[in-house]
Amino acid sequence: MTAVGIDAIEIWTGKLRLDLPNTFAPEKGEDPEKYTKGLGLASSSFPDVYEDIVTMGANAAKRLMDREGLAPDDIGRIDVATESAFDNSKPVSTYIAGCLEQVYDGDFHHANKGERKFACLSGTQSIDDAYNWIKAGRHRGRAALVIATDTALYERGDPGEATQGAGAVAMLITENPSIVELSTEQGYGSADETDFLKPNQQFPSVDGKRSVQVYLARMREALEDYESVAGDTHPDDFEYIPFHTPFPGMVRKAAVLGFRHMTRDTDVEDELADEIGMQPRESEYDTWDDYEEAIRAYMDDLKETEQYREWYATTIEPTLSISRNVGNWYTGSVHIARLSALRDALERGDELAGKRMLVGSYGSGAQAEIHAETIVDGWAEHVEAIDVDGQLDRRQDITYDEYELIHDVHNHAKEVDVEEFTAPESEFVFTGWGRMNERR
Ligand code: CAA
């Protein structure tokens, strides 16, 4: 069977940086440690005045195409995953193709374009669509370009404001990929939920606490469903487990539940049960608050055990390094978690080819998807070529007042005239509604 998976990755971060513990927390009258220790965040990325989901997506895609030496004719499909779309008819992929056609010989008239929506999950769903398209033999030898692009902004004063971010991830899906091969087995946990909604509005209406519960419940279902096709999982089966990361503190909770589930009926569990003496299950508690309390206590105890600490430090913590510094990228979030993990292995000089990752994607509304990926030869060279640190370091720091201005600029309900903070550097820029994005 032909292998299909991710052949190349590129990112584009919003070009502004808000320091959460030092700039944001003092203005909100909050302890900086709520951000660094509680939520697990150091800073957020924000788009400059001339950036939006189209320009970030197009800039990430151009970087990827240039590095891989691709022309439009090599790409047969462009799917954009976003929950920040501004057009209910034309998919964002048409706008992005329009940008790319300004700089390459040839066009994308032959390419199938679409836009996927299921909150933060749709980046993974777009990869699934591309996988199916290639496996079905409809791709005529061409690759699929998947772009996950979002400005994850919340109303000022909303608890979610602390977790904001903006950026795009472009991924090339091909036969015989150079980074990871996708497995055929998937597991789903899906239910009609109303914890996070954006009905024709720029900022979401969120029940933050409930959204955490729904994330955990759907992720657990997805893991059980995955095991029903792939067999029981064990924590040691996977080199890394990248989760959707709205903020690293969310992943800390998901990791505890995942570890508890994966160690069931094993020696490890018996050992842990002896040590901790408690295995919380949702059904054992009258209310979710009681259950959360039990998980918190369990988590505190678990964190004291050598097994969990070692597993978390090597399997989960490395997936959080980019997220800590950029905030939530919604559809791109799980994909920067994967990239963080691969960068960790590169830094440590680990040979990963043949090893597996378990990827936990999630979208509010709500659905979780779990699938496994096998890292393939060539991954290190490809990951080394992605200039993540350079991009993050080049971001310009903003003050709290500047943050408020830029937040207003990206609130489509407001007309705000603000000077650019940074100068565009040979990139696509937003020049106004209904007008073609330009390259400056
Ligand atoms: N020192 C150390 N830790 C501290 C602290 C301090 N001084 N102050 C608070 N903390 C800890 C808290 O104990 C808490 O940790 P635990 O949950 O492990 O106990 C953490 O910091 C956050 O504190 P709060 O719960 O008080 O924070 P909050 O209520 O202001 O906001 C939130 C939390 C509700 C999740 C909010 O960030 C939010 O609404 N976020 C947006 C929604 C979201 O991201 N949901 C995640 C699941 S849905 C999803 O994943 C889809 C998506 O992308 C949106």
Side-chain angles (χ1 to χ4, degrees):
M1 259 205 325
T2 317
V4 175
I6 304 176
D7 189 60
I9 305 174
E10 256 306 344
I11 67 160
W12 185 275
T13 176
K15 292 172 75 176
L16 306 178
R17 174 184 177 275
L18 178 68
D19 184 313
L20 291 169
N22 298 307
T23 304
F24 190 76
E27 287 290 337
K28 297 286 174 186
E30 283 180 316
D31 182 350
E33 294 207 334
K34 171 176 173 181
Y35 297 86
T36 50
K37 294 200 171 146
L39 296 169
L41 290 165
S43 60
S44 309
S45 284
F46 284 90
D48 203 334
V49 175
Y50 54 85
E51 295 186 286
D52 72 353
I53 53 168
V54 172
T55 65
M56 292 190 300
N59 287 320
K62 178 165 187 304
R63 267 201 184 128
L64 183 148
M65 288 180 66
D66 287 351
R67 210 187 59 225
E68 297 297 311
L70 298 171
D73 206 37
D74 299 317
I75 294 167
R77 183 181 176 103
I78 306 178
D79 284 309
V80 169
T82 185
E83 53 186 293
S84 322
F86 49 83
D87 189 321
N88 288 322
S89 175
K90 241 165 85 76
V92 171
S93 50
T94 59
Y95 292 88
I96 290 183
C99 288
L100 297 172
E101 284 171 352
Q102 294 175 37
V103 292
Y104 292 109
D105 282 340
D107 57 45
F108 290 100
H109 291 197
H110 58 273
N112 185 12
K113 304 181 189 95
E115 183 176 303
R116 251 291 189 172
K117 180 163 71 179
F118 200 141
C120 309
L121 177 64
S122 60
T124 297
Q125 289 183 316
S126 297
I127 293 177
D128 292 341
D129 291 341
Y131 174 93
N132 294 336
W133 174 71
I134 295 173
K135 283 278 183 186
R138 292 178 161 177
H139 61 305
R140 299 186 231 166
R142 287 178 166 133
L145 182 59
V146 168
I147 301 162
T149 179
D150 271 301
T151 50
L153 301 181
Y154 293 80
E155 197 95 58
R156 289 218 282 281
D158 187 293
E161 196 185 357
T163 67
Q164 298 175 116
V169 183
M171 291 165 285
L172 195 71
I173 314 303
T174 64
E175 286 179 308
N176 302 317
S178 302
I179 300 180
V180 291
E181 177 186 347
L182 300 164
S183 71
T184 50
E185 294 98 357
Q186 289 164 312
Y188 299 101
S190 190
D192 182 16
E193 300 277 3
T194 53
D195 54 312
F196 181 107
L197 306 171
K198 284 179 84 178
N200 291 324
Q201 59 195 52
Q202 167 71 345
F203 300 135
S205 304
V206 196
D207 181 345
K209 298 283 182 201
R210 172 84 189 129
S211 74
V212 170
Q213 299 167 1
V214 175
Y215 177 119
L216 295 175
R218 301 290 82 80
M219 198 64 86
R220 181 202 192 105
E221 281 172 5
L223 182 56
E224 285 172 353
D225 192 47
Y226 171 77
E227 289 182 329
S228 74
V229 286
D232 281 356
T233 53
H234 185 276
D236 296 341
D237 291 347
F238 305 100
E239 201 65 12
Y240 295 106
I241 305 189
F243 281 104
H244 167 56
T245 311
F247 53 94
M250 179 73 243
V251 171
R252 272 202 312 266
K253 293 183 204 288
V256 168
L257 289 188
F259 189 83
R260 192 204 64 75
H261 178 87
M262 289 194 272
T263 48
R264 124 216 91 175
D265 294 331
T266 66
D267 293 347
V268 179
E269 185 187 31
D270 291 344
E271 220 173 288
L272 282 172
D274 283 349
E275 227 173 304
I276 300 173
M278 169 179 175
Q279 298 284 315
R281 287 194 76 86
E282 198 177 331
S283 53
E284 290 165 8
Y285 296 87
D286 291 338
T287 67
W288 182 278
D289 285 345
D290 293 343
Y291 177 51
E292 260 211 329
E293 194 53 44
I295 290 179
R296 209 164 279 141
Y298 179 80
M299 195 161 144
D300 288 343
D301 291 342
L302 190 63
K303 280 193 294 203
E304 297 305 313
T305 69
E306 197 52 40
Q307 272 155 330
Y308 183 77
R309 279 151 77 122
E310 200 189 317
W311 176 78
Y312 187 87
T314 55
T315 313
I316 305 292
E317 181 65 30
T319 69
L320 304 174
S321 60
I322 302 178
S323 164
R324 274 191 204 298
N325 291 298
V326 301
N328 196 353
W329 283 12
Y330 284 163
T331 52
S333 153
V334 67
H335 307 292
I336 53 177
R338 175 199 291 106
L339 180 57
S340 299
L342 295 172
R343 276 163 42 87
D344 172 71
L346 192 67
E347 271 163 30
R348 290 192 290 104
D350 285 359
E351 185 35 78
L352 283 188
K355 300 205 169 142
R356 296 199 305 150
M357 290 190 281
L358 191 69
V359 179
S361 305
Y362 173 74
S364 294
Q367 184 163 304
E369 179 196 310
I370 301 261
H371 71 264
E373 299 177 355
T374 305
I375 300 150
V376 294
D377 273 334
W379 71 274
E381 188 192 319
H382 274 76
V383 171
E384 196 163 19
I386 309 168
D387 178 25
V388 176
D389 293 332
Q391 282 195 59
L392 298 190
D393 292 348
R394 283 194 296 275
R395 287 174 301 171
Q396 180 159 316
D397 280 308
I398 48 175
T399 63
Y400 187 80
D401 287 346
E402 288 169 337
Y403 155 69
E404 289 202 323
L405 277 177
I406 200 72
H407 195 267
D408 285 345
V409 168
H410 292 290
N411 179 358
H412 298 167
K414 285 193 179 174
E415 286 287 328
V416 192
D417 192 14
V418 178
E419 291 285 312
E420 298 169 358
F421 289 83
T422 59
E425 291 172 45
S426 303
E427 64 195 72
F428 296 108
V429 297
F430 172 72
T431 49
W433 294 106
R435 294 175 49 192
M436 196 76 164
N437 293 287
E438 284 172 6
R439 192 163 155 79
R440 275 195 1 224

